[in-house]
Amino acid sequence: MENTGYRNFGQKLAMHTAPTLLGIKCASLLSLRIESEEVCDYSAYFNYRVSAKGLKSRILCSCRSHTLLLVYHEKLLTARLADRSARKVLENSGYASDWSLEECLSFLAQRIQCSSEFPHEIGIFLGYPTEDVLGFIANHGDNYKFCGCWKVYGCEESAKRTFANYEKCRKFLCNKLNEGADLYQALKLS
């Protein structure tokens, strides 16, 4: 499957999902301007290659110009969704308390496709601190303390450390690809 299109896909994954690929973030969301058929093929191949690492990708939504792809670490995301405060946010958004990861992801995809407003509980899936997700919802995205990878309403210093770690992951993975490795070599899967 190693072609120019797939290599570009790998570079986009490295740039936008590196913290998830390297295991320090439970999930990342990527908006792609690629034919949805190609994204399906690339996603299936990605899932095949990275399954041993517990990584997965899932298309949440496709329209004429964009495809939203969630890349996630299954164990980390399952643990995140089991967190009591995170689960409460999801329950307040219509998720059942006993739903599996797969059921939660299906409902999230449905909410993205069918809602007139983007479902802000997605921050829970992306590993954002619960207080920041709640702050964003309550303030309609305004009145935040700091903005980086997300809008911070809680502990600014902790968020800045997290953002710096995410940036280190991006630089590491992108440098590996720039040196000629493919995504799977960089992840030590080949």
Side-chain angles (χ1 to χ4, degrees), residues 68-90:
L68 282 180
L69 183 70
L70 184 73
V71 175
Y72 61 98
H73 192 287
E74 191 170 22
K75 283 184 182 177
L76 293 178
L77 186 53
T78 299
R80 170 67 172 156
L81 298 186
D83 175 79
R84 185 176 297 146
S85 63
R87 196 54 125 173
K88 182 135 180 79
V89 172
L90 295 181

PDB file of all heavy atoms in Angstrom, residues 68-90:
ATOM      1  N   LEU A  68     -13.778  13.316   8.854  1.00  0.00           N
ATOM      2  CA  LEU A  68     -13.266  13.376  10.223  1.00  0.00           C
ATOM      3  C   LEU A  68     -12.853  11.976  10.645  1.00  0.00           C
ATOM      4  O   LEU A  68     -13.667  11.053  10.643  1.00  0.00           O
ATOM      5  CB  LEU A  68     -14.331  13.888  11.196  1.00  0.00           C
ATOM      6  CG  LEU A  68     -14.590  15.374  11.226  1.00  0.00           C
ATOM      7  CD1 LEU A  68     -15.679  15.692  12.258  1.00  0.00           C
ATOM      8  CD2 LEU A  68     -13.335  16.151  11.550  1.00  0.00           C
ATOM      9  N   LEU A  69     -11.590  11.837  10.998  1.00  0.00           N
ATOM     10  CA  LEU A  69     -11.029  10.554  11.384  1.00  0.00           C
ATOM     11  C   LEU A  69     -10.566  10.626  12.834  1.00  0.00           C
ATOM     12  O   LEU A  69      -9.812  11.525  13.202  1.00  0.00           O
ATOM     13  CB  LEU A  69      -9.844  10.206  10.481  1.00  0.00           C
ATOM     14  CG  LEU A  69      -9.179   8.854  10.696  1.00  0.00           C
ATOM     15  CD1 LEU A  69     -10.110   7.733  10.247  1.00  0.00           C
ATOM     16  CD2 LEU A  69      -7.859   8.782   9.952  1.00  0.00           C
ATOM     17  N   LEU A  70     -11.037   9.710  13.641  1.00  0.00           N
ATOM     18  CA  LEU A  70     -10.595   9.601  15.023  1.00  0.00           C
ATOM     19  C   LEU A  70      -9.544   8.506  15.083  1.00  0.00           C
ATOM     20  O   LEU A  70      -9.786   7.379  14.651  1.00  0.00           O
ATOM     21  CB  LEU A  70     -11.771   9.247  15.941  1.00  0.00           C
ATOM     22  CG  LEU A  70     -11.445   9.209  17.437  1.00  0.00           C
ATOM     23  CD1 LEU A  70     -11.246  10.624  17.975  1.00  0.00           C
ATOM     24  CD2 LEU A  70     -12.541   8.486  18.208  1.00  0.00           C
ATOM     25  N   VAL A  71      -8.381   8.841  15.600  1.00  0.00           N
ATOM     26  CA  VAL A  71      -7.320   7.865  15.838  1.00  0.00           C
ATOM     27  C   VAL A  71      -7.237   7.716  17.348  1.00  0.00           C
ATOM     28  O   VAL A  71      -7.170   8.710  18.072  1.00  0.00           O
ATOM     29  CB  VAL A  71      -5.972   8.355  15.261  1.00  0.00           C
ATOM     30  CG1 VAL A  71      -4.844   7.397  15.624  1.00  0.00           C
ATOM     31  CG2 VAL A  71      -6.076   8.520  13.745  1.00  0.00           C
ATOM     32  N   TYR A  72      -7.308   6.464  17.822  1.00  0.00           N
ATOM     33  CA  TYR A  72      -7.345   6.288  19.268  1.00  0.00           C
ATOM     34  C   TYR A  72      -6.591   5.052  19.716  1.00  0.00           C
ATOM     35  O   TYR A  72      -6.373   4.113  18.965  1.00  0.00           O
ATOM     36  CB  TYR A  72      -8.789   6.259  19.774  1.00  0.00           C
ATOM     37  CG  TYR A  72      -9.658   5.143  19.236  1.00  0.00           C
ATOM     38  CD1 TYR A  72      -9.880   3.984  19.967  1.00  0.00           C
ATOM     39  CD2 TYR A  72     -10.276   5.254  17.986  1.00  0.00           C
ATOM     40  CE1 TYR A  72     -10.688   2.974  19.495  1.00  0.00           C
ATOM     41  CE2 TYR A  72     -11.083   4.243  17.495  1.00  0.00           C
ATOM     42  CZ  TYR A  72     -11.288   3.107  18.248  1.00  0.00           C
ATOM     43  OH  TYR A  72     -12.081   2.103  17.766  1.00  0.00           O
ATOM     44  N   HIS A  73      -6.189   5.129  20.960  1.00  0.00           N
ATOM     45  CA  HIS A  73      -5.551   4.006  21.642  1.00  0.00           C
ATOM     46  C   HIS A  73      -6.656   3.356  22.463  1.00  0.00           C
ATOM     47  O   HIS A  73      -7.175   3.950  23.408  1.00  0.00           O
ATOM     48  CB  HIS A  73      -4.421   4.518  22.527  1.00  0.00           C
ATOM     49  CG  HIS A  73      -3.540   3.451  23.048  1.00  0.00           C
ATOM     50  ND1 HIS A  73      -3.926   2.569  24.031  1.00  0.00           N
ATOM     51  CD2 HIS A  73      -2.287   3.097  22.701  1.00  0.00           C
ATOM     52  CE1 HIS A  73      -2.955   1.741  24.279  1.00  0.00           C
ATOM     53  NE2 HIS A  73      -1.934   2.031  23.491  1.00  0.00           N
ATOM     54  N   GLU A  74      -7.035   2.153  22.089  1.00  0.00           N
ATOM     55  CA  GLU A  74      -8.228   1.523  22.641  1.00  0.00           C
ATOM     56  C   GLU A  74      -8.227   1.445  24.179  1.00  0.00           C
ATOM     57  O   GLU A  74      -9.213   1.806  24.829  1.00  0.00           O
ATOM     58  CB  GLU A  74      -8.422   0.134  22.035  1.00  0.00           C
ATOM     59  CG  GLU A  74      -9.756  -0.466  22.343  1.00  0.00           C
ATOM     60  CD  GLU A  74     -10.022  -1.726  21.548  1.00  0.00           C
ATOM     61  OE1 GLU A  74      -9.065  -2.371  21.071  1.00  0.00           O
ATOM     62  OE2 GLU A  74     -11.208  -2.057  21.407  1.00  0.00           O
ATOM     63  N   LYS A  75      -7.138   0.982  24.770  1.00  0.00           N
ATOM     64  CA  LYS A  75      -7.094   0.847  26.230  1.00  0.00           C
ATOM     65  C   LYS A  75      -7.156   2.203  26.922  1.00  0.00           C
ATOM     66  O   LYS A  75      -7.846   2.369  27.920  1.00  0.00           O
ATOM     67  CB  LYS A  75      -5.830   0.091  26.674  1.00  0.00           C
ATOM     68  CG  LYS A  75      -5.909  -1.392  26.460  1.00  0.00           C
ATOM     69  CD  LYS A  75      -4.687  -2.077  27.011  1.00  0.00           C
ATOM     70  CE  LYS A  75      -4.763  -3.572  26.735  1.00  0.00           C
ATOM     71  NZ  LYS A  75      -3.567  -4.274  27.190  1.00  0.00           N
ATOM     72  N   LEU A  76      -6.412   3.168  26.387  1.00  0.00           N
ATOM     73  CA  LEU A  76      -6.414   4.499  27.001  1.00  0.00           C
ATOM     74  C   LEU A  76      -7.781   5.158  26.902  1.00  0.00           C
ATOM     75  O   LEU A  76      -8.250   5.778  27.863  1.00  0.00           O
ATOM     76  CB  LEU A  76      -5.353   5.400  26.350  1.00  0.00           C
ATOM     77  CG  LEU A  76      -3.895   5.026  26.558  1.00  0.00           C
ATOM     78  CD1 LEU A  76      -2.984   5.995  25.797  1.00  0.00           C
ATOM     79  CD2 LEU A  76      -3.537   5.007  28.031  1.00  0.00           C
ATOM     80  N   LEU A  77      -8.429   5.019  25.754  1.00  0.00           N
ATOM     81  CA  LEU A  77      -9.743   5.637  25.586  1.00  0.00           C
ATOM     82  C   LEU A  77     -10.790   4.929  26.437  1.00  0.00           C
ATOM     83  O   LEU A  77     -11.651   5.581  27.045  1.00  0.00           O
ATOM     84  CB  LEU A  77     -10.159   5.664  24.111  1.00  0.00           C
ATOM     85  CG  LEU A  77     -11.443   6.423  23.806  1.00  0.00           C
ATOM     86  CD1 LEU A  77     -11.425   7.842  24.357  1.00  0.00           C
ATOM     87  CD2 LEU A  77     -11.687   6.445  22.292  1.00  0.00           C
ATOM     88  N   THR A  78     -10.711   3.619  26.534  1.00  0.00           N
ATOM     89  CA  THR A  78     -11.637   2.874  27.389  1.00  0.00           C
ATOM     90  C   THR A  78     -11.490   3.331  28.838  1.00  0.00           C
ATOM     91  O   THR A  78     -12.489   3.562  29.534  1.00  0.00           O
ATOM     92  CB  THR A  78     -11.392   1.357  27.261  1.00  0.00           C
ATOM     93  OG1 THR A  78     -11.629   0.977  25.902  1.00  0.00           O
ATOM     94  CG2 THR A  78     -12.304   0.567  28.174  1.00  0.00           C
ATOM     95  N   ALA A  79     -10.249   3.488  29.296  1.00  0.00           N
ATOM     96  CA  ALA A  79     -10.006   3.955  30.665  1.00  0.00           C
ATOM     97  C   ALA A  79     -10.531   5.378  30.852  1.00  0.00           C
ATOM     98  O   ALA A  79     -11.131   5.688  31.885  1.00  0.00           O
ATOM     99  CB  ALA A  79      -8.517   3.885  30.991  1.00  0.00           C
ATOM    100  N   ARG A  80     -10.334   6.217  29.858  1.00  0.00           N
ATOM    101  CA  ARG A  80     -10.816   7.604  29.944  1.00  0.00           C
ATOM    102  C   ARG A  80     -12.339   7.639  30.088  1.00  0.00           C
ATOM    103  O   ARG A  80     -12.880   8.370  30.909  1.00  0.00           O
ATOM    104  CB  ARG A  80     -10.377   8.377  28.702  1.00  0.00           C
ATOM    105  CG  ARG A  80     -10.997   9.736  28.535  1.00  0.00           C
ATOM    106  CD  ARG A  80     -10.544  10.685  29.601  1.00  0.00           C
ATOM    107  NE  ARG A  80     -11.032  12.018  29.275  1.00  0.00           N
ATOM    108  CZ  ARG A  80     -11.209  12.956  30.167  1.00  0.00           C
ATOM    109  NH1 ARG A  80     -10.909  12.748  31.419  1.00  0.00           N
ATOM    110  NH2 ARG A  80     -11.657  14.132  29.816  1.00  0.00           N
ATOM    111  N   LEU A  81     -13.008   6.842  29.299  1.00  0.00           N
ATOM    112  CA  LEU A  81     -14.469   6.843  29.334  1.00  0.00           C
ATOM    113  C   LEU A  81     -15.014   6.176  30.603  1.00  0.00           C
ATOM    114  O   LEU A  81     -16.180   6.367  30.950  1.00  0.00           O
ATOM    115  CB  LEU A  81     -15.049   6.167  28.094  1.00  0.00           C
ATOM    116  CG  LEU A  81     -14.727   6.839  26.757  1.00  0.00           C
ATOM    117  CD1 LEU A  81     -15.465   6.161  25.625  1.00  0.00           C
ATOM    118  CD2 LEU A  81     -14.998   8.328  26.773  1.00  0.00           C
ATOM    119  N   ALA A  82     -14.179   5.420  31.296  1.00  0.00           N
ATOM    120  CA  ALA A  82     -14.593   4.803  32.555  1.00  0.00           C
ATOM    121  C   ALA A  82     -14.455   5.767  33.735  1.00  0.00           C
ATOM    122  O   ALA A  82     -15.027   5.526  34.797  1.00  0.00           O
ATOM    123  CB  ALA A  82     -13.769   3.546  32.820  1.00  0.00           C
ATOM    124  N   ASP A  83     -13.722   6.857  33.533  1.00  0.00           N
ATOM    125  CA  ASP A  83     -13.559   7.862  34.581  1.00  0.00           C
ATOM    126  C   ASP A  83     -14.922   8.442  34.948  1.00  0.00           C
ATOM    127  O   ASP A  83     -15.713   8.798  34.074  1.00  0.00           O
ATOM    128  CB  ASP A  83     -12.629   8.975  34.070  1.00  0.00           C
ATOM    129  CG  ASP A  83     -12.513  10.115  35.044  1.00  0.00           C
ATOM    130  OD1 ASP A  83     -11.766   9.983  36.022  1.00  0.00           O
ATOM    131  OD2 ASP A  83     -13.203  11.139  34.826  1.00  0.00           O
ATOM    132  N   ARG A  84     -15.199   8.506  36.235  1.00  0.00           N
ATOM    133  CA  ARG A  84     -16.518   8.927  36.724  1.00  0.00           C
ATOM    134  C   ARG A  84     -16.917  10.320  36.230  1.00  0.00           C
ATOM    135  O   ARG A  84     -18.036  10.523  35.770  1.00  0.00           O
ATOM    136  CB  ARG A  84     -16.545   8.880  38.249  1.00  0.00           C
ATOM    137  CG  ARG A  84     -17.916   9.190  38.825  1.00  0.00           C
ATOM    138  CD  ARG A  84     -17.959   9.052  40.330  1.00  0.00           C
ATOM    139  NE  ARG A  84     -17.688   7.673  40.703  1.00  0.00           N
ATOM    140  CZ  ARG A  84     -17.032   7.304  41.795  1.00  0.00           C
ATOM    141  NH1 ARG A  84     -16.596   8.198  42.631  1.00  0.00           N
ATOM    142  NH2 ARG A  84     -16.832   6.026  42.049  1.00  0.00           N
ATOM    143  N   SER A  85     -16.005  11.286  36.317  1.00  0.00           N
ATOM    144  CA  SER A  85     -16.366  12.653  35.905  1.00  0.00           C
ATOM    145  C   SER A  85     -16.547  12.744  34.394  1.00  0.00           C
ATOM    146  O   SER A  85     -17.437  13.453  33.908  1.00  0.00           O
ATOM    147  CB  SER A  85     -15.332  13.670  36.393  1.00  0.00           C
ATOM    148  OG  SER A  85     -14.067  13.424  35.819  1.00  0.00           O
ATOM    149  N   ALA A  86     -15.727  12.010  33.649  1.00  0.00           N
ATOM    150  CA  ALA A  86     -15.871  12.001  32.190  1.00  0.00           C
ATOM    151  C   ALA A  86     -17.202  11.348  31.799  1.00  0.00           C
ATOM    152  O   ALA A  86     -17.925  11.847  30.920  1.00  0.00           O
ATOM    153  CB  ALA A  86     -14.706  11.253  31.549  1.00  0.00           C
ATOM    154  N   ARG A  87     -17.537  10.252  32.455  1.00  0.00           N
ATOM    155  CA  ARG A  87     -18.780   9.538  32.151  1.00  0.00           C
ATOM    156  C   ARG A  87     -19.999  10.407  32.445  1.00  0.00           C
ATOM    157  O   ARG A  87     -20.980  10.378  31.723  1.00  0.00           O
ATOM    158  CB  ARG A  87     -18.822   8.242  32.967  1.00  0.00           C
ATOM    159  CG  ARG A  87     -19.825   7.251  32.502  1.00  0.00           C
ATOM    160  CD  ARG A  87     -19.664   6.941  31.038  1.00  0.00           C
ATOM    161  NE  ARG A  87     -19.509   5.528  30.826  1.00  0.00           N
ATOM    162  CZ  ARG A  87     -19.491   4.970  29.644  1.00  0.00           C
ATOM    163  NH1 ARG A  87     -19.618   5.670  28.555  1.00  0.00           N
ATOM    164  NH2 ARG A  87     -19.336   3.689  29.518  1.00  0.00           N
ATOM    165  N   LYS A  88     -19.918  11.219  33.497  1.00  0.00           N
ATOM    166  CA  LYS A  88     -21.031  12.110  33.844  1.00  0.00           C
ATOM    167  C   LYS A  88     -21.267  13.131  32.721  1.00  0.00           C
ATOM    168  O   LYS A  88     -22.414  13.399  32.369  1.00  0.00           O
ATOM    169  CB  LYS A  88     -20.757  12.823  35.169  1.00  0.00           C
ATOM    170  CG  LYS A  88     -21.871  13.709  35.624  1.00  0.00           C
ATOM    171  CD  LYS A  88     -22.157  13.507  37.087  1.00  0.00           C
ATOM    172  CE  LYS A  88     -23.260  14.378  37.587  1.00  0.00           C
ATOM    173  NZ  LYS A  88     -24.569  13.897  37.263  1.00  0.00           N
ATOM    174  N   VAL A  89     -20.192  13.667  32.167  1.00  0.00           N
ATOM    175  CA  VAL A  89     -20.328  14.610  31.041  1.00  0.00           C
ATOM    176  C   VAL A  89     -21.024  13.903  29.879  1.00  0.00           C
ATOM    177  O   VAL A  89     -21.932  14.459  29.253  1.00  0.00           O
ATOM    178  CB  VAL A  89     -18.951  15.167  30.592  1.00  0.00           C
ATOM    179  CG1 VAL A  89     -19.083  15.988  29.319  1.00  0.00           C
ATOM    180  CG2 VAL A  89     -18.324  16.003  31.700  1.00  0.00           C
ATOM    181  N   LEU A  90     -20.618  12.682  29.599  1.00  0.00           N
ATOM    182  CA  LEU A  90     -21.221  11.938  28.496  1.00  0.00           C
ATOM    183  C   LEU A  90     -22.695  11.627  28.779  1.00  0.00           C
ATOM    184  O   LEU A  90     -23.535  11.766  27.880  1.00  0.00           O
ATOM    185  CB  LEU A  90     -20.443  10.645  28.226  1.00  0.00           C
ATOM    186  CG  LEU A  90     -19.009  10.835  27.725  1.00  0.00           C
ATOM    187  CD1 LEU A  90     -18.352   9.489  27.481  1.00  0.00           C
ATOM    188  CD2 LEU A  90     -18.954  11.701  26.482  1.00  0.00           C
TER     189      LEU A  90
END
